[in-house]
Amino acid sequence: MEEEVATPIEAEQYRKMLNEKIEKLLSQPEEEILEWRIVDIEIPEKARLFNSIQCTLCGEKTSEGHARIKDGKPVCRPCAGEYTRGW
Ligand SMILES: [Zn+2]
């Protein structure tokens, strides 16, 4: 029942970044605001790289970065025989 959030640290950094942007937005002229909005659009695109993948063996969802390919099918790390140790 291990459900991994792909990037908890990045989510936190993203939140901080947004807060900083909002503060900047409030002190910038309108043309600058337009520029900041364009930057904001790129961030969700990047976040989409971290897709959730469903293990074909046990059905557990795992983040794309943690998925492994076994017999040509995506599986989670335990099913791939890869256990994390010493965390
Ligand atoms: Zn699995």
Side-chain angles (χ1 to χ4, degrees):
M1 284 295 286
E2 185 191 335
E3 188 159 351
E4 292 197 48
V5 179
T7 53
I9 294 167
E10 261 201 6
E12 178 61 26
Q13 286 173 340
Y14 177 53
R15 226 191 322 266
K16 279 184 189 169
M17 200 171 17
L18 274 187
N19 283 339
E20 284 170 21
K21 278 181 188 174
I22 288 165
E23 280 185 35
K24 277 183 179 162
L25 278 176
L26 295 175
S27 60
Q28 297 288 335
E30 206 167 312
E31 283 156 38
E32 296 285 332
I33 289 174
L34 210 63
E35 213 170 306
W36 279 108
R37 287 181 64 181
I38 292 166
V39 174
D40 276 343
I41 291 165
E42 290 178 36
I43 293 165
E45 288 294 326
K46 187 185 171 238
R48 276 169 54 192
L49 292 173
F50 298 95
N51 287 327
S52 191
I53 282 182
Q54 193 168 19
C55 174
T56 53
L57 292 179
C58 70
E60 194 76 31
K61 284 197 174 170
T62 185
S63 64
E64 195 170 42
H66 288 163
R68 296 291 180 265
I69 301 297
K70 193 178 186 183
D71 300 327
K73 291 170 184 174
V75 297
C76 66
R77 283 164 105 176
C79 287
E82 187 180 330
Y83 291 91
T84 44
R85 272 177 262 177
W87 54 273

Coordinates of all heavy atoms in Angstrom, one line a residue:
M1 N 0.8 -1.2 0.0 CA 0.0 0.0 0.0 C 0.9 1.3 0.0 O 0.6 2.2 0.6 CB -0.9 0.0 1.2 CG -2.1 -1.0 1.1 SD -3.2 -0.5 -0.2 CE -4.1 0.9 0.6
E2 N 2.0 1.1 -0.7 CA 2.9 2.3 -0.7 C 2.6 3.2 -1.9 O 2.8 2.8 -3.0 CB 4.3 1.8 -0.7 CG 5.3 3.0 -0.6 CD 6.7 2.5 -0.9 OE1 7.0 1.4 -0.8 OE2 7.5 3.4 -1.4
E3 N 2.0 4.3 -1.6 CA 1.7 5.2 -2.7 C 2.7 6.4 -2.7 O 2.8 7.1 -1.7 CB 0.3 5.7 -2.6 CG -0.1 6.5 -3.9 CD -1.6 6.7 -4.0 OE1 -2.3 6.0 -3.3 OE2 -2.0 7.4 -4.9
E4 N 3.5 6.4 -3.7 CA 4.5 7.4 -3.7 C 4.0 8.7 -4.4 O 3.6 8.7 -5.5 CB 5.7 6.9 -4.4 CG 6.4 5.8 -3.7 CD 7.8 5.5 -4.2 OE1 8.5 6.5 -4.3 OE2 8.2 4.4 -4.5
V5 N 4.2 9.8 -3.7 CA 4.0 11.1 -4.4 C 5.3 11.3 -5.1 O 6.4 11.2 -4.6 CB 3.8 12.2 -3.4 CG1 3.6 13.5 -4.1 CG2 2.5 11.9 -2.6
A6 N 5.2 11.6 -6.4 CA 6.4 11.7 -7.3 C 7.5 12.6 -6.7 O 8.6 12.3 -6.6 CB 6.0 12.1 -8.7
T7 N 7.1 13.8 -6.4 CA 8.1 14.8 -6.0 C 7.6 15.7 -4.9 O 7.2 16.8 -5.1 CB 8.5 15.7 -7.2 OG1 7.2 16.3 -7.8 CG2 9.1 14.9 -8.3
P8 N 7.6 15.2 -3.7 CA 7.2 16.0 -2.5 C 8.1 17.2 -2.4 O 7.6 18.3 -2.0 CB 7.3 15.1 -1.4 CG 8.1 14.0 -1.8 CD 8.0 13.8 -3.3
I9 N 9.4 17.0 -2.6 CA 10.3 18.2 -2.4 C 10.0 19.2 -3.5 O 10.0 20.4 -3.2 CB 11.8 17.7 -2.5 CG1 12.0 16.8 -1.3 CG2 12.7 18.9 -2.5 CD1 13.3 16.0 -1.4
E10 N 9.9 18.8 -4.7 CA 9.6 19.7 -5.8 C 8.3 20.4 -5.6 O 8.2 21.6 -5.9 CB 9.6 19.0 -7.1 CG 10.9 19.1 -7.9 CD 10.8 18.8 -9.3 OE1 9.7 18.7 -9.9 OE2 11.8 18.8 -10.0
A11 N 7.3 19.7 -5.1 CA 6.0 20.4 -4.8 C 6.2 21.5 -3.8 O 5.6 22.6 -4.0 CB 5.0 19.3 -4.3
E12 N 7.0 21.3 -2.8 CA 7.3 22.3 -1.8 C 8.0 23.5 -2.4 O 7.7 24.6 -2.2 CB 8.1 21.7 -0.7 CG 8.4 22.7 0.4 CD 7.2 23.3 1.1 OE1 6.1 22.7 1.1 OE2 7.3 24.4 1.6
Q13 N 9.0 23.1 -3.3 CA 9.8 24.2 -3.9 C 8.9 25.0 -4.9 O 9.0 26.2 -5.0 CB 11.0 23.6 -4.7 CG 12.1 23.1 -3.8 CD 13.1 22.3 -4.6 OE1 12.9 21.8 -5.7 NE2 14.3 22.2 -4.0
Y14 N 8.0 24.3 -5.5 CA 7.1 24.9 -6.4 C 6.2 25.9 -5.7 O 6.0 27.0 -6.2 CB 6.3 23.8 -7.1 CG 5.2 24.3 -8.1 CD1 5.5 25.2 -9.1 CD2 3.9 23.9 -7.9 CE1 4.5 25.6 -10.0 CE2 2.9 24.3 -8.8 CZ 3.2 25.2 -9.8 OH 2.3 25.6 -10.6
R15 N 5.8 25.5 -4.5 CA 4.9 26.3 -3.7 C 5.7 27.6 -3.3 O 5.1 28.7 -3.4 CB 4.4 25.6 -2.4 CG 3.0 25.7 -2.2 CD 2.6 25.2 -0.8 NE 3.3 24.0 -0.4 CZ 2.8 22.8 -0.6 NH1 1.7 22.6 -1.2 NH2 3.5 21.7 -0.2
K16 N 6.9 27.4 -2.9 CA 7.7 28.5 -2.5 C 7.9 29.5 -3.7 O 7.9 30.7 -3.6 CB 9.1 28.1 -1.9 CG 9.0 27.6 -0.5 CD 10.4 27.3 0.0 CE 10.3 26.6 1.4 NZ 11.6 26.0 1.7
M17 N 8.2 28.8 -4.8 CA 8.5 29.6 -6.0 C 7.2 30.4 -6.4 O 7.3 31.6 -6.7 CB 8.8 28.7 -7.2 CG 9.5 29.3 -8.3 SD 10.2 28.2 -9.5 CE 9.3 26.7 -9.2
L18 N 6.1 29.8 -6.3 CA 4.8 30.5 -6.6 C 4.7 31.7 -5.6 O 4.3 32.8 -6.1 CB 3.6 29.6 -6.4 CG 3.3 28.8 -7.6 CD1 2.0 28.0 -7.4 CD2 3.2 29.6 -8.9
N19 N 4.9 31.5 -4.4 CA 4.8 32.6 -3.4 C 5.7 33.7 -3.7 O 5.3 34.9 -3.7 CB 5.1 32.1 -2.0 CG 3.9 31.3 -1.4 OD1 2.8 31.4 -1.8 ND2 4.2 30.4 -0.4
E20 N 6.9 33.4 -4.1 CA 7.9 34.4 -4.5 C 7.4 35.2 -5.7 O 7.5 36.4 -5.9 CB 9.2 33.8 -4.8 CG 10.0 33.5 -3.5 CD 11.2 32.7 -3.8 OE1 11.7 32.7 -4.9 OE2 11.7 32.0 -2.8
K21 N 6.8 34.4 -6.7 CA 6.3 35.0 -7.9 C 5.1 36.0 -7.6 O 5.0 37.0 -8.2 CB 5.9 33.9 -8.9 CG 7.0 33.4 -9.6 CD 6.6 32.3 -10.6 CE 7.8 31.7 -11.2 NZ 7.4 30.5 -12.1
I22 N 4.3 35.5 -6.7 CA 3.1 36.3 -6.4 C 3.6 37.7 -5.8 O 3.1 38.7 -6.1 CB 2.2 35.6 -5.4 CG1 1.5 34.4 -6.2 CG2 1.2 36.5 -4.8 CD1 0.8 33.4 -5.3
E23 N 4.6 37.5 -4.9 CA 5.1 38.8 -4.3 C 5.7 39.7 -5.4 O 5.5 40.9 -5.3 CB 6.2 38.4 -3.3 CG 5.5 38.0 -1.9 CD 6.6 37.8 -0.9 OE1 7.6 38.5 -0.9 OE2 6.4 36.9 0.0
K24 N 6.4 39.1 -6.3 CA 7.0 39.9 -7.4 C 5.9 40.5 -8.3 O 6.0 41.6 -8.7 CB 7.9 39.0 -8.2 CG 9.3 38.9 -7.6 CD 10.2 38.1 -8.5 CE 11.6 38.1 -7.8 NZ 12.5 37.0 -8.3
L25 N 4.9 39.6 -8.5 CA 3.8 40.1 -9.4 C 3.2 41.4 -8.8 O 2.9 42.3 -9.5 CB 2.7 39.0 -9.4 CG 2.9 37.9 -10.4 CD1 1.7 36.9 -10.2 CD2 2.9 38.4 -11.8
L26 N 3.0 41.4 -7.5 CA 2.4 42.5 -6.9 C 3.2 43.8 -6.9 O 2.7 44.9 -6.8 CB 2.1 42.2 -5.4 CG 1.0 41.1 -5.2 CD1 0.9 40.7 -3.7 CD2 -0.3 41.4 -5.8
S27 N 4.5 43.6 -7.2 CA 5.4 44.8 -7.2 C 5.9 45.1 -8.6 O 6.7 46.0 -8.8 CB 6.5 44.6 -6.3 OG 7.3 43.5 -6.6
Q28 N 5.4 44.4 -9.6 CA 5.9 44.6 -11.0 C 4.8 45.3 -11.8 O 3.6 45.2 -11.6 CB 6.1 43.2 -11.7 CG 7.2 42.4 -11.0 CD 8.6 43.0 -11.3 OE1 8.8 43.7 -12.2 NE2 9.5 42.7 -10.4
P29 N 5.4 46.1 -12.8 CA 4.4 46.7 -13.8 C 3.8 45.6 -14.6 O 4.3 44.4 -14.7 CB 5.3 47.6 -14.6 CG 6.7 47.0 -14.4 CD 6.7 46.4 -13.0
E30 N 2.7 46.0 -15.3 CA 1.9 45.0 -16.0 C 2.7 44.1 -17.1 O 2.4 43.0 -17.2 CB 0.8 45.7 -16.7 CG -0.5 44.9 -16.9 CD -1.7 45.7 -17.3 OE1 -1.9 46.7 -16.7 OE2 -2.3 45.3 -18.3
E31 N 3.6 44.8 -17.8 CA 4.3 44.0 -18.8 C 5.2 42.9 -18.2 O 5.3 41.8 -18.7 CB 5.3 44.9 -19.6 CG 4.5 45.8 -20.6 CD 5.2 47.0 -20.9 OE1 6.4 47.0 -21.0 OE2 4.5 48.1 -21.1
E32 N 5.7 43.1 -17.0 CA 6.5 42.1 -16.3 C 5.5 41.0 -15.9 O 5.9 39.8 -15.9 CB 7.1 42.7 -15.1 CG 8.2 43.8 -15.4 CD 9.5 43.2 -15.9 OE1 9.7 42.0 -15.6 OE2 10.1 43.9 -16.7
I33 N 4.3 41.3 -15.5 CA 3.4 40.3 -15.0 C 3.1 39.3 -16.2 O 3.1 38.1 -16.0 CB 2.1 41.0 -14.6 CG1 2.3 41.7 -13.3 CG2 1.0 39.9 -14.4 CD1 1.1 42.5 -12.8
L34 N 3.0 39.8 -17.4 CA 2.8 39.0 -18.5 C 3.9 38.0 -18.7 O 3.7 36.8 -18.9 CB 2.7 39.9 -19.8 CG 1.8 39.3 -20.9 CD1 0.3 39.2 -20.4 CD2 1.9 40.2 -22.1
E35 N 5.1 38.4 -18.5 CA 6.3 37.6 -18.6 C 6.2 36.5 -17.5 O 6.5 35.3 -17.8 CB 7.5 38.4 -18.4 CG 8.7 37.9 -19.2 CD 9.8 38.9 -19.2 OE1 9.6 40.0 -19.6 OE2 10.9 38.5 -18.8
W36 N 5.9 36.8 -16.3 CA 5.8 35.8 -15.2 C 4.8 34.8 -15.5 O 4.9 33.6 -15.1 CB 5.6 36.5 -13.9 CG 6.8 37.1 -13.3 CD1 7.1 38.4 -13.2 CD2 7.9 36.4 -12.8 NE1 8.4 38.6 -12.7 CE2 8.9 37.3 -12.4 CE3 8.2 35.0 -12.6 CZ2 10.1 37.0 -11.8 CZ3 9.4 34.7 -12.0 CH2 10.3 35.6 -11.6
R37 N 3.7 35.2 -16.1 CA 2.6 34.2 -16.4 C 3.1 33.2 -17.4 O 2.7 32.0 -17.3 CB 1.4 34.9 -16.9 CG 0.7 35.7 -15.8 CD -0.6 36.4 -16.3 NE -1.6 35.5 -16.7 CZ -2.7 35.8 -17.2 NH1 -3.0 37.1 -17.4 NH2 -3.6 34.9 -17.6
I38 N 3.9 33.6 -18.3 CA 4.4 32.6 -19.3 C 5.3 31.6 -18.6 O 5.2 30.4 -18.8 CB 5.2 33.4 -20.4 CG1 4.2 34.2 -21.2 CG2 6.0 32.4 -21.3 CD1 4.9 35.2 -22.1
V39 N 6.1 32.1 -17.7 CA 6.9 31.2 -16.9 C 6.1 30.2 -16.1 O 6.4 29.0 -16.1 CB 7.8 32.0 -15.9 CG1 8.6 31.0 -15.0 CG2 8.8 32.8 -16.7
D40 N 5.0 30.6 -15.6 CA 4.1 29.8 -14.8 C 3.6 28.6 -15.6 O 3.4 27.5 -15.1 CB 3.0 30.6 -14.2 CG 3.4 31.2 -12.9 OD1 4.4 30.8 -12.3 OD2 2.7 32.2 -12.5
I41 N 3.3 28.9 -16.9 CA 2.7 27.9 -17.7 C 3.7 26.7 -18.0 O 3.3 25.6 -18.1 CB 2.3 28.5 -19.1 CG1 1.1 29.5 -18.9 CG2 1.9 27.4 -20.1 CD1 0.9 30.4 -20.0
E42 N 5.0 27.0 -18.0 CA 5.9 25.9 -18.2 C 6.1 24.9 -17.1 O 6.5 23.8 -17.3 CB 7.3 26.6 -18.5 CG 7.3 27.3 -19.8 CD 8.7 28.0 -20.1 OE1 9.7 27.4 -19.7 OE2 8.7 29.1 -20.6
I43 N 5.8 25.4 -15.9 CA 6.0 24.5 -14.7 C 5.1 23.2 -14.7 O 5.6 22.2 -14.6 CB 5.9 25.3 -13.4 CG1 7.0 26.3 -13.4 CG2 5.9 24.4 -12.2 CD1 6.8 27.4 -12.4
P44 N 3.8 23.4 -15.0 CA 3.0 22.2 -15.1 C 3.4 21.2 -16.2 O 3.3 20.0 -16.0 CB 1.6 22.7 -15.4 CG 1.6 24.1 -14.9 CD 3.0 24.6 -15.1
E45 N 3.9 21.8 -17.3 CA 4.4 20.9 -18.3 C 5.6 20.0 -17.8 O 5.7 18.9 -18.1 CB 5.0 21.8 -19.5 CG 3.9 22.4 -20.3 CD 3.0 21.4 -21.0 OE1 3.5 20.4 -21.5 OE2 1.8 21.7 -21.1
K46 N 6.4 20.6 -17.0 CA 7.5 19.9 -16.5 C 7.0 18.9 -15.5 O 7.5 17.7 -15.4 CB 8.5 20.9 -15.8 CG 9.8 20.2 -15.3 CD 10.6 21.2 -14.5 CE 11.8 20.4 -13.9 NZ 11.9 20.5 -12.5
A47 N 6.0 19.3 -14.7 CA 5.5 18.3 -13.7 C 4.9 17.1 -14.3 O 4.9 16.0 -13.7 CB 4.5 19.1 -12.8
R48 N 4.4 17.2 -15.5 CA 3.8 16.1 -16.2 C 4.8 15.0 -16.6 O 4.4 13.9 -16.9 CB 3.1 16.6 -17.5 CG 1.7 17.1 -17.2 CD 1.1 17.9 -18.4 NE 1.1 17.0 -19.6 CZ 0.9 17.5 -20.8 NH1 0.6 18.8 -21.0 NH2 1.0 16.7 -21.8
L49 N 6.1 15.3 -16.5 CA 7.1 14.3 -16.7 C 7.0 13.2 -15.7 O 7.4 12.1 -15.9 CB 8.5 14.9 -16.7 CG 8.8 15.9 -17.9 CD1 10.1 16.5 -17.7 CD2 8.8 15.1 -19.2
F50 N 6.5 13.6 -14.5 CA 6.4 12.6 -13.4 C 5.1 12.0 -13.4 O 4.2 12.2 -12.6 CB 6.7 13.3 -12.1 CG 8.1 13.9 -12.0 CD1 8.3 15.2 -12.3 CD2 9.2 13.1 -11.7 CE1 9.6 15.7 -12.3 CE2 10.4 13.6 -11.6 CZ 10.6 14.9 -11.9
N51 N 4.8 11.1 -14.4 CA 3.6 10.4 -14.5 C 3.5 9.3 -13.5 O 4.5 8.7 -13.1 CB 3.4 9.9 -15.9 CG 3.1 11.0 -16.9 OD1 2.5 12.0 -16.5 ND2 3.5 10.8 -18.1
S52 N 2.3 8.9 -13.1 CA 2.1 7.8 -12.3 C 1.9 6.6 -13.2 O 1.1 6.6 -14.1 CB 0.8 8.0 -11.4 OG 0.8 7.0 -10.4
I53 N 2.6 5.5 -12.9 CA 2.5 4.3 -13.7 C 1.9 3.2 -12.8 O 2.3 3.0 -11.7 CB 3.9 4.0 -14.3 CG1 4.1 4.9 -15.5 CG2 3.9 2.5 -14.7 CD1 5.5 4.6 -16.1
Q54 N 1.0 2.4 -13.4 CA 0.5 1.3 -12.7 C 1.2 0.0 -13.0 O 1.5 -0.3 -14.1 CB -1.0 1.1 -13.0 CG -1.7 0.2 -12.1 CD -3.2 0.3 -12.3 OE1 -3.7 0.7 -13.3 NE2 -4.0 -0.2 -11.3
C55 N 1.7 -0.6 -11.9 CA 2.4 -1.8 -12.0 C 1.5 -2.9 -12.7 O 0.4 -3.1 -12.3 CB 2.9 -2.3 -10.6 SG 3.6 -3.9 -10.7
T56 N 2.1 -3.6 -13.7 CA 1.3 -4.6 -14.4 C 1.2 -5.9 -13.6 O 0.4 -6.8 -14.0 CB 1.9 -4.9 -15.8 OG1 3.3 -5.2 -15.6 CG2 1.8 -3.6 -16.7
L57 N 1.9 -6.0 -12.6 CA 1.9 -7.3 -11.8 C 1.0 -7.1 -10.6 O 0.1 -8.0 -10.3 CB 3.3 -7.7 -11.4 CG 4.2 -8.1 -12.5 CD1 5.6 -8.4 -12.0 CD2 3.6 -9.3 -13.3
C58 N 1.2 -6.1 -9.7 CA 0.4 -6.0 -8.5 C -0.6 -4.9 -8.5 O -1.4 -4.7 -7.7 CB 1.4 -5.8 -7.3 SG 2.2 -4.2 -7.3
G59 N -0.5 -4.1 -9.6 CA -1.5 -3.0 -9.7 C -1.2 -1.7 -8.9 O -1.9 -0.8 -8.9
E60 N -0.1 -1.8 -8.2 CA 0.4 -0.7 -7.4 C 0.8 0.5 -8.3 O 1.4 0.3 -9.3 CB 1.5 -1.1 -6.5 CG 1.8 -0.1 -5.4 CD 0.9 -0.3 -4.2 OE1 0.3 -1.4 -4.0 OE2 0.6 0.8 -3.6
K61 N 0.4 1.7 -7.8 CA 0.9 2.8 -8.6 C 2.2 3.3 -8.1 O 2.5 3.4 -7.0 CB -0.2 4.0 -8.5 CG -1.4 3.7 -9.4 CD -2.2 4.9 -9.6 CE -3.3 4.6 -10.6 NZ -4.3 5.7 -10.7
T62 N 3.0 3.6 -9.1 CA 4.4 4.1 -8.8 C 4.7 5.2 -9.7 O 4.2 5.3 -10.8 CB 5.4 2.9 -8.9 OG1 6.7 3.4 -8.4 CG2 5.5 2.4 -10.3
S63 N 5.6 6.1 -9.2 CA 6.0 7.2 -10.1 C 6.8 6.7 -11.2 O 7.5 5.7 -11.1 CB 6.7 8.3 -9.3 OG 7.9 7.8 -8.8
E64 N 6.8 7.4 -12.3 CA 7.5 7.0 -13.5 C 9.0 6.8 -13.3 O 9.6 5.8 -13.8 CB 7.3 8.1 -14.6 CG 7.6 7.6 -16.0 CD 7.2 8.5 -17.0 OE1 7.4 9.7 -16.8 OE2 6.7 8.1 -18.1
G65 N 9.5 7.6 -12.5 CA 10.9 7.5 -12.2 C 11.3 6.3 -11.4 O 12.4 5.9 -11.4
H66 N 10.3 5.7 -10.7 CA 10.6 4.5 -9.9 C 10.1 3.2 -10.6 O 10.3 2.2 -10.1 CB 9.9 4.6 -8.5 CG 10.5 5.6 -7.7 ND1 9.9 6.2 -6.5 CD2 11.8 6.2 -7.7 CE1 10.7 7.0 -6.0 NE2 11.9 7.1 -6.7
A67 N 9.5 3.4 -11.7 CA 9.0 2.2 -12.4 C 10.1 1.5 -13.1 O 11.1 2.1 -13.4 CB 8.0 2.6 -13.5
R68 N 10.0 0.2 -13.2 CA 11.0 -0.6 -13.9 C 10.3 -1.4 -15.0 O 9.1 -1.7 -14.9 CB 11.6 -1.6 -12.9 CG 12.4 -0.9 -11.8 CD 13.7 -0.2 -12.4 NE 14.4 0.4 -11.3 CZ 14.3 1.7 -11.0 NH1 13.4 2.5 -11.7 NH2 15.0 2.3 -10.1
I69 N 11.1 -1.8 -16.0 CA 10.5 -2.6 -17.1 C 10.9 -4.0 -16.9 O 12.1 -4.3 -16.7 CB 11.0 -2.1 -18.4 CG1 10.6 -0.6 -18.6 CG2 10.4 -2.9 -19.6 CD1 9.1 -0.3 -18.7
K70 N 9.9 -4.9 -16.8 CA 10.2 -6.3 -16.7 C 9.4 -7.0 -17.8 O 8.2 -6.9 -17.9 CB 9.8 -6.8 -15.3 CG 10.3 -8.2 -15.0 CD 9.9 -8.5 -13.6 CE 10.6 -9.9 -13.2 NZ 10.2 -10.3 -11.8
D71 N 10.1 -7.8 -18.6 CA 9.5 -8.5 -19.7 C 8.7 -7.5 -20.6 O 7.6 -7.8 -21.1 CB 8.6 -9.6 -19.2 CG 9.3 -10.6 -18.4 OD1 10.5 -10.9 -18.7 OD2 8.7 -11.2 -17.5
G72 N 9.2 -6.3 -20.7 CA 8.6 -5.3 -21.6 C 7.4 -4.6 -21.0 O 6.8 -3.8 -21.6
K73 N 7.2 -4.9 -19.7 CA 6.0 -4.3 -19.1 C 6.5 -3.4 -17.8 O 7.4 -3.9 -17.1 CB 5.0 -5.3 -18.6 CG 4.3 -6.0 -19.8 CD 3.5 -7.2 -19.3 CE 2.9 -7.9 -20.5 NZ 2.2 -9.2 -20.0
P74 N 5.8 -2.3 -17.6 CA 6.1 -1.5 -16.5 C 5.7 -2.2 -15.1 O 4.6 -2.6 -15.0 CB 5.4 -0.2 -16.7 CG 4.2 -0.6 -17.6 CD 4.7 -1.7 -18.4
V75 N 6.6 -2.3 -14.2 CA 6.3 -2.8 -12.9 C 6.9 -1.9 -11.8 O 7.8 -1.1 -12.1 CB 6.9 -4.3 -12.8 CG1 6.2 -5.2 -13.7 CG2 8.4 -4.3 -12.9
C76 N 6.4 -2.1 -10.6 CA 6.9 -1.3 -9.5 C 8.3 -2.0 -9.1 O 8.6 -3.1 -9.5 CB 5.9 -1.2 -8.4 SG 5.6 -2.8 -7.6
R77 N 9.0 -1.3 -8.2 CA 10.3 -1.8 -7.8 C 10.2 -3.1 -7.1 O 11.0 -4.0 -7.4 CB 11.0 -0.7 -7.0 CG 11.5 0.4 -7.8 CD 11.8 1.6 -6.9 NE 13.3 1.8 -6.7 CZ 13.8 2.8 -6.1 NH1 13.1 3.7 -5.6 NH2 15.1 2.9 -6.0
P78 N 9.3 -3.3 -6.1 CA 9.3 -4.6 -5.5 C 9.1 -5.7 -6.5 O 9.7 -6.8 -6.4 CB 8.2 -4.5 -4.5 CG 8.1 -3.0 -4.2 CD 8.4 -2.4 -5.5
C79 N 8.2 -5.5 -7.4 CA 7.9 -6.6 -8.4 C 9.0 -6.8 -9.4 O 9.2 -7.9 -9.9 CB 6.6 -6.2 -9.2 SG 5.1 -6.3 -8.3
A80 N 9.8 -5.8 -9.5 CA 11.0 -5.9 -10.4 C 12.2 -6.6 -9.6 O 13.2 -6.8 -10.1 CB 11.5 -4.6 -10.9
G81 N 11.9 -6.9 -8.3 CA 12.9 -7.5 -7.5 C 13.9 -6.5 -7.0 O 15.0 -6.9 -6.5
E82 N 13.5 -5.3 -7.1 CA 14.4 -4.2 -6.6 C 13.9 -3.6 -5.3 O 12.9 -2.8 -5.3 CB 14.6 -3.2 -7.7 CG 15.6 -2.1 -7.3 CD 15.7 -1.1 -8.4 OE1 15.5 -1.4 -9.6 OE2 16.0 0.1 -8.1
Y83 N 14.4 -4.0 -4.2 CA 14.0 -3.4 -2.9 C 14.9 -2.3 -2.5 O 16.1 -2.4 -2.6 CB 13.9 -4.5 -1.9 CG 12.9 -5.5 -2.1 CD1 13.2 -6.7 -2.9 CD2 11.6 -5.4 -1.6 CE1 12.2 -7.6 -3.1 CE2 10.6 -6.3 -1.9 CZ 10.9 -7.4 -2.6 OH 10.0 -8.4 -2.9
T84 N 14.2 -1.3 -2.0 CA 15.1 -0.2 -1.4 C 15.5 -0.6 0.0 O 14.7 -1.0 0.8 CB 14.3 1.1 -1.4 OG1 13.0 0.9 -0.9 CG2 14.2 1.7 -2.8
R85 N 16.8 -0.4 0.2 CA 17.3 -0.7 1.6 C 18.0 0.5 2.1 O 18.6 1.3 1.4 CB 18.2 -1.9 1.5 CG 17.5 -3.2 1.6 CD 18.5 -4.3 1.5 NE 18.5 -4.8 0.1 CZ 19.3 -5.8 -0.3 NH1 20.2 -6.3 0.4 NH2 19.2 -6.3 -1.6
G86 N 18.0 0.6 3.4 CA 18.8 1.6 4.1 C 18.2 3.0 3.9 O 19.0 4.0 4.0
W87 N 17.0 3.2 3.7 CA 16.4 4.5 3.6 C 16.1 5.0 4.9 O 16.0 6.1 5.2 CB 15.2 4.6 2.6 CG 14.2 3.6 3.0 CD1 14.0 2.3 2.6 CD2 13.0 3.9 3.8 NE1 12.9 1.8 3.1 CE2 12.3 2.7 3.9 CE3 12.6 5.0 4.5 CZ2 11.1 2.6 4.6 CZ3 11.4 4.9 5.3 CH2 10.7 3.7 5.3
Ligands
ZN1 ZN 4.1 -4.3 -8.4

